[in-house]
Structure formats: C-alpha cells, structure tokens
Amino acid sequence: MTEFTRRHLMVTAAGVGLASQLSAPAIAQAFPARPITLVVPWGAGGGTDATARIVGSLMEKEFGQPVNVVNRTGGSGVVGHSAIATGAPDGYTIGMVTVEISMMHWQGLTQLKPDSYTPLALMNEDPPGVQVSASGPYKDLKSLADAIKANPGKLKASGTGQGGIWHLALVGWLGAMGLPASAVPWVPSNGAAPAMQDLAAGGVDIVTCSVPEAKAMLDAGRAKSLAIMAAARNPQFADVPTLKEAIGVDYTVGAWRGIAAPKNLPAPIAERYTAVLKKINESKEFRDFMSARGFGVKWADAAGFAKFMDEGNTAMGVAMKAAGLARSS
C-alpha cells in the first residue's frame, strides 16, 4: 500500500466517522425531500379515509411536501396493512393502521401484528355504545344487563360482521360481566347503519357500534344509547354514561386509528413524524374536523401507541377465543 493510499483511507475513514456523528440531525433536518405516500387500508369516503386525509392535509403544511393518500383495500384490511409494513423504511411510505391489525392475525388472515411496524402516533379512538330501541323495555343499562343474565341466549345483537370490532366489543363486555359469548347471539350485518335500521324495526335487541354511527337513529328518537365502553364520557354525547358508571363494569374498548411506518424506520425520522403528528392532533383544525363528525380524538406518542396496541392485541385475542373465532395464537 502506498503512502498516498494509506493517507487517503485515513481521511476517508475520518470523513465517515464525522458523517455518522452528523447523520441523525442531518437526516431529520433534510426530511422530507420528496412527496410522502400515506396508505389507507380502507375505502374512500369512510371514517378512516376522512381521518387520514385531514392528517395528510395538515402534514403537507408542516413538511412542505405533498402527502398522497392512497387507498389499498381488500382482504378485510390485510392488503393495505401489508402495503404499509412492506414499504421501504425511509419515511416516504407511512400509513393509517387501524384496530383490525390487532384482530386479523388471530383470525388467521395474516402474520402481521402491531409489532410489525414502527409506531408513530395514536390519533383517534371511538368506543362503542350499547344501543337499544327507544320503544323497548330497557330504560338503563342495568335493566338490559339483568335481562341478559335472566334470559341467556334470548336477546340478539348486531353492528358489524362476525368477528368485527363491534362484535368483539359485545363479547368483551359479556365476559366482563362473567357471561359467555353465547349469552347474546350475534346477527352479522354489513355495518352499523343497517344494524341500526334492524334495531328500529325490531329485528335485533342491541346494537354495539360507536355512538356517532348511531347518531341518526338517536336524533330521530328511534333508538337510545345506554352506555359507552370507555373510561370517560364522550363530550359530544355527555348524557351517555360509561359502563363503569352504569353498572360498575370496568371494561373499555374501541375502534382506533393511528399512524405507523414500516419497521426499522430511522429514529430521527420517526421522532420528526411524532412531533409533527402531536402538533396536528392538538390543532384546532384537526379537532374541529373530528368533532364535526363525532369522531373521538386521542393522543399517544410512539411508545404510548406501541403499549396501547400491545394491550389491545391481548384483549382482542381474549375476546376472539371467547367467541370461538381465534384460529391462531
């Protein structure tokens, strides 16, 4: 090796060392340098799509780069969640993950789990309410719970498809009361809206879905919400008590939405995202948008979101096993 080569290698090594020392802040300051893709696992026009688009719009203002919302639907959420997980971990592909990521693997639909991602922030959660017909005999949740206990298997419930989040919410609530899933048979539906129609028509006795989804029937005086499965009341429906307030059962669950990236996203970029998402979550524009639609606003940073998803994953596993729907561990 010549002296020139030796000196050249020493200089190069020193340069690499200096670059590595400067890489973290440099990466954060330079990001993003081009448009970002925000993947949504659900169809255009739905609640997840609407939430993603307001987040993307506000993110554009913060980053100064376009944020392109792309709907990747199919496979009960598997297609879109896979697209997020398999993207390059460079910050230019992120996505809005939903509660289904803590459900799909239990059903044997995918191997993806909450820890398949780099969590960035939790943005929203909507707990289910317990809705009954306004013309029915149940004036409060205690009278409904007493009827379920006295006549297991008699009352029917609906709100979503078999094994969907609102079905599992019912199963979890029954379990918290010491009752099996069979205590209230589930009638699958194509969503909350047709389930609420069925409730008003007398086809089912209970609908577990978010209170905003039931709002049209509530406002029309054809249904009433007896409680929500949350730790605190929804300010938009302040007269609806929590399960704990109504019958002393401390059980909470909800449909949620958060932002995540492919696994192994560099920490400086992840931290930049979390800071921007926190600013968005606290902004008047975001909160007014969510409030106008009855959507709940909830915040958790990356570590908090990871813990939230891990706990939810465990709870969904318990509910799915109780309902006989779990096909994997």
Side-chain angles (χ1 to χ4, degrees):
M1 183 183 295
T2 66
E3 183 63 22
F4 172 80
T5 302
R6 184 180 293 107
R7 288 182 179 178
H8 177 73
L9 290 175
M10 290 175 63
V11 170
T12 301
V16 170
L18 179 61
S20 65
Q21 294 174 28
L22 298 177
S23 60
I27 288 172
Q29 289 173 9
F31 181 85
R34 54 187 170 86
I36 294 165
T37 296
L38 173 55
V39 178
V40 178
W42 307 102
T48 301
D49 179 68
T51 303
R53 289 181 187 278
I54 185 63
V55 170
S57 173
L58 297 174
M59 199 180 289
E60 284 187 352
K61 297 178 182 178
E62 295 295 324
F63 282 146
Q65 288 285 352
V67 176
N68 302 313
V69 176
V70 177
N71 300 89
R72 295 289 303 275
T73 62
S76 299
V78 172
V79 172
H81 282 94
S82 295
I84 301 166
T86 58
D90 56 9
Y92 292 100
T93 297
I94 60 172
M96 181 154 275
V97 296
T98 62
V99 65
E100 284 77 13
I101 195 59
S102 62
M103 299 161 57
M104 297 184 297
H105 71 94
W106 292 111
Q107 296 168 294
L109 298 176
T110 178
Q111 294 183 349
L112 293 173
K113 298 180 180 180
D115 63 5
S116 302
Y117 304 87
T118 299
L120 300 174
L122 175 65
M123 302 296 286
N124 150 262
E125 184 181 30
D126 292 310
V130 180
Q131 280 74 230
V132 297
S133 172
S135 60
Y138 311 112
K139 305 304 178 187
D140 53 33
L141 192 66
K142 184 179 184 305
S143 62
L144 176 62
D146 289 344
I148 293 171
K149 293 174 183 177
N151 304 281
K154 181 180 179 181
L155 302 182
K156 295 180 293 184
S158 188
T160 188
Q162 187 85 2
I165 180 59
W166 302 143
H167 179 199
L168 297 182
L170 172 73
V171 173
W173 171 42
L174 293 173
M177 293 195 296
L179 300 173
S182 59
V184 179
W186 187 257
V187 178
S189 74
N190 289 322
M196 289 300 296
Q197 291 282 355
D198 202 12
L199 177 72
V204 295
D205 306 285
I206 305 165
V207 169
T208 47
C209 68
S210 70
V211 185
E213 289 177 306
K215 189 175 185 299
M217 283 294 183
L218 297 175
D219 290 348
R222 302 182 67 187
K224 55 188 174 183
S225 187
L226 302 181
I228 59 169
M229 303 181 194
R233 297 191 184 201
N234 183 337
Q236 301 298 317
F237 307 94
D239 58 335
V240 181
T242 65
L243 285 183
K244 189 170 185 179
E245 290 173 327
I247 57 173
V249 172
D250 193 8
Y251 173 75
T252 63
V253 69
W256 53 261
R257 305 173 179 105
I259 302 293
K263 206 173 179 69
N264 299 319
L265 182 70
I269 296 177
E271 290 163 6
R272 178 92 190 276
Y273 264 119
T274 299
V276 165
L277 290 167
K278 185 174 192 295
K279 186 174 180 180
I280 289 171
N281 188 279
E282 294 175 347
S283 71
K284 184 177 186 301
E285 190 171 352
F286 178 73
R287 290 182 175 248
D288 285 350
F289 178 93
M290 300 295 277
S291 177
R293 287 154 182 78
F295 296 159
V297 172
K298 186 162 184 172
W299 168 257
D301 62 12
F305 187 24
K307 182 174 184 290
F308 176 88
M309 287 195 290
D310 183 59
E311 292 173 348
N313 187 59
T314 300
M316 288 296 102
V318 170
M320 283 197 161
K321 289 173 183 177
L325 297 169
R327 296 182 183 178
S328 65
S329 59

